[in-house]
Amino acid sequence: MNIFIDNRSGAPIYDQIYSQIKNQIISGTLAANEPLPSIRNLAKDLRISVITTKRAYDELEREGFIYTLPAKGCFVAAQNTELLKEHNLKKIEEHIMEIKNLAAACQLSKNDIIEMINIIYEQE
């Protein structure tokens, strides 16, 4: 599991940890029932407070992304694929709305945006 803390990002450190672990779970990089580093070990590796790491893990557990077994540690929870798909669709819709607003400010049409998307897909 790779986590990078950016002190210049302006985002709280616990939120950076939370977001990165959540994204790795959603993307499938972290598999169901895979053990996570202990709160203490992760804090030590990242050179941050144990309280900060615990806050990120607590948030992930509250949202159902991880679970804790007493005396064993924290593990990735099995995910409902439909729920994850819905989560990603919501994020896509939010980005599309942002693109629509930016396009309007630049006086770009829907066809201009579609053409840009087609060019991006052709480059891959």
Side-chain angles (χ1 to χ4, degrees):
M1 179 174 75
N2 294 321
I3 295 179
F4 302 100
I5 302 300
D6 182 2
N7 292 322
R8 295 174 283 159
S9 79
I13 294 173
Y14 84 89
D15 191 48
Q16 292 181 49
I17 296 167
Y18 160 82
S19 297
Q20 290 180 47
I21 293 174
K22 180 178 172 182
N23 289 337
Q24 289 180 41
I25 292 170
I26 289 172
S27 71
T29 304
L30 293 173
N33 301 313
E34 186 173 333
L36 296 175
S38 74
I39 291 171
R40 288 186 192 281
N41 285 343
L42 184 59
K44 182 180 175 187
D45 290 346
L46 297 176
R47 296 185 177 145
I48 59 171
S49 165
V50 171
I51 295 168
T52 302
T53 307
K54 180 167 178 16
R55 185 171 178 190
Y57 274 34
D58 286 347
E59 187 74 16
L60 288 163
E61 187 164 20
R62 187 176 61 76
E63 290 191 9
F65 286 99
I66 67 173
Y67 63 94
T68 302
L69 294 176
K72 296 198 188 251
C74 296
F75 300 85
V76 176
Q79 298 297 307
N80 178 337
T81 55
E82 285 302 312
L83 182 64
L84 291 177
K85 182 178 178 181
E86 190 62 35
H87 173 78
N88 285 334
L89 287 174
K90 183 179 177 195
K91 284 173 63 174
I92 290 169
E93 288 173 2
E94 290 170 0
H95 289 297
I96 289 172
M97 287 304 297
E98 186 177 340
I99 290 168
K100 180 183 173 232
N101 293 335
L102 289 170
C106 297
Q107 298 178 343
L108 294 174
S109 69
K110 181 172 93 174
N111 287 336
D112 293 333
I113 301 303
I114 291 170
E115 185 177 332
M116 290 172 74
I117 292 170
N118 287 335
I119 289 170
I120 290 169
Y121 270 95
E122 289 171 4
Q123 290 176 349
E124 291 182 348

